[in-house]
Amino acid sequence: MLLAGKAAVISGAASARGIGRATARLFAEHGARVAILDLDEQGAMQAAAELGERHLGIGCNVTNVAHCRKAAAQAIAALGQVDILINNAGISQPVKTMEIAPEDWARIVDVNMSGVLYLSQAFIPHMRERRRGSIACMSSVSAQRGGGIFGGPHYSAAKAGVLGLAKAMARELGPDNIRVNSVTPGLIQTDITGGKLTDEMRADIIKGIPLGRLGEAVDVARIYLFLASDLSSYVTGAVIDVNGGMLIH
Ligand code: NAD
């Protein structure tokens, strides 16, 4: 039980096969109370109910500052405290540079990068007051290797922005005993690809992975668990690859 007595908020944790949902399950198994925040309010409530009575689901669009503040107030009131924030919500779009319309750029950057800032801002005052907190942010191997797997260049840009933001927050919030880290997964088998990943694409990608398989949601959930728990008490500003060796650098 690595998270006994702790409370965690996880964004983007409603989708059934997603990384956030697997993380919520693992955190609950490790004794944490969990608040699931998601654009899909019904899905968030259902996912929380499946975890048990101690957990809650809250509708929240992470691109909306007012939503983030309201969700934070609700989570803190219900859980009594929040020790862990997992900025996991994200969306992707497999297009090339010349196909990126301004509204696509805005949408992808908003959810993947601005949402990390807005939701963090909603919890930082509470964490500062308690002088404790662990924030983990979802980036992607796409930020490090310049895409080329599934998401487009706007996705790579947004996920690279997350790394800069998380490192700067780590430096700023360290004196408040708040740690901020990032994870950079390779291709993980979830529904984010929206059925657009063909068997041929999958086989091609696997050829470039030394461990010879795509990732599972729980592979990433375990890294979030490490970053959320006291096992990583002296780790901040770090970027942890979860990619089966797809990118070794
Ligand atoms: P998923 O589609 O299963 O889950 C994403 C969740 O985010 C969904 O529940 C969705 O409703 C929610 N969401 C979307 N927009 C939102 C918003 N504006 N506000 C709140 N919630 C919102 O996908 P996943 O693969 O589990 O992705 C989780 C995270 O992991 C994303 O940030 C994604 O970019 C990142 N990631 C995924 C992979 C992969 O290969 N699956 C690789 C690297 C990084």
Side-chain angles (χ1 to χ4, degrees), residues 11-21 37-40 60-64 87-92 110-112 138-142 149-150 155 159 183-193 217 220 224:
S11 71
S15 75
R17 286 181 355 116
I19 294 167
R21 182 77 165 264
L37 269 51
D38 204 285
L39 196 55
D40 174 4
C60 174
N61 180 348
V62 297
T63 70
N64 183 312
N87 281 309
N88 174 75
I91 53 170
S92 187
D110 250 20
V111 180
N112 291 293
M138 176 56 91
S139 177
S140 168
V141 71
S142 173
I149 299 162
F150 185 78
Y155 180 78
K159 292 298 193 188
V183 293
T184 43
L187 191 59
I188 309 297
Q189 306 198 76
T190 70
D191 294 327
I192 201 170
T193 48
V220 184
Y224 274 149

Side-chain angles (χ1 to χ4, degrees), residues 13-134:
S15 75
R17 286 181 355 116
I19 294 167
R21 182 77 165 264
T23 305
R25 258 186 238 117
L26 189 62
F27 280 19
E29 277 167 32
H30 277 268
R33 292 184 71 195
V34 178
I36 290 176
L37 269 51
D38 204 285
L39 196 55
D40 174 4
E41 183 173 15
Q42 284 306 314
M45 288 165 66
Q46 196 184 324
E50 277 173 25
L51 293 181
E53 277 176 8
R54 307 166 65 225
H55 313 282
L56 76 154
I58 304 173
C60 174
N61 180 348
V62 297
T63 70
N64 183 312
V65 173
H67 277 205
C68 291
R69 287 195 187 138
K70 195 171 163 211
Q74 208 178 325
I76 293 165
L79 301 171
Q81 73 198 61
V82 170
D83 307 278
I84 299 152
L85 170 63
I86 307 292
N87 281 309
N88 174 75
I91 53 170
S92 187
Q93 186 191 28
V95 292
K96 300 206 181 301
T97 303
M98 292 306 292
E99 297 157 8
I100 302 172
E103 54 273 23
D104 294 328
W105 173 264
R107 191 169 53 90
I108 294 288
V109 168
D110 250 20
V111 180
N112 291 293
M113 185 171 70
S114 311
V116 172
L117 174 68
Y118 300 153
L119 199 57
S120 300
Q121 285 175 327
F123 284 98
I124 287 167
H126 171 77
M127 289 180 169
R128 272 196 164 133
E129 217 171 90
R130 299 182 67 231
R131 289 196 57 77
R132 62 187 298 164
S134 173

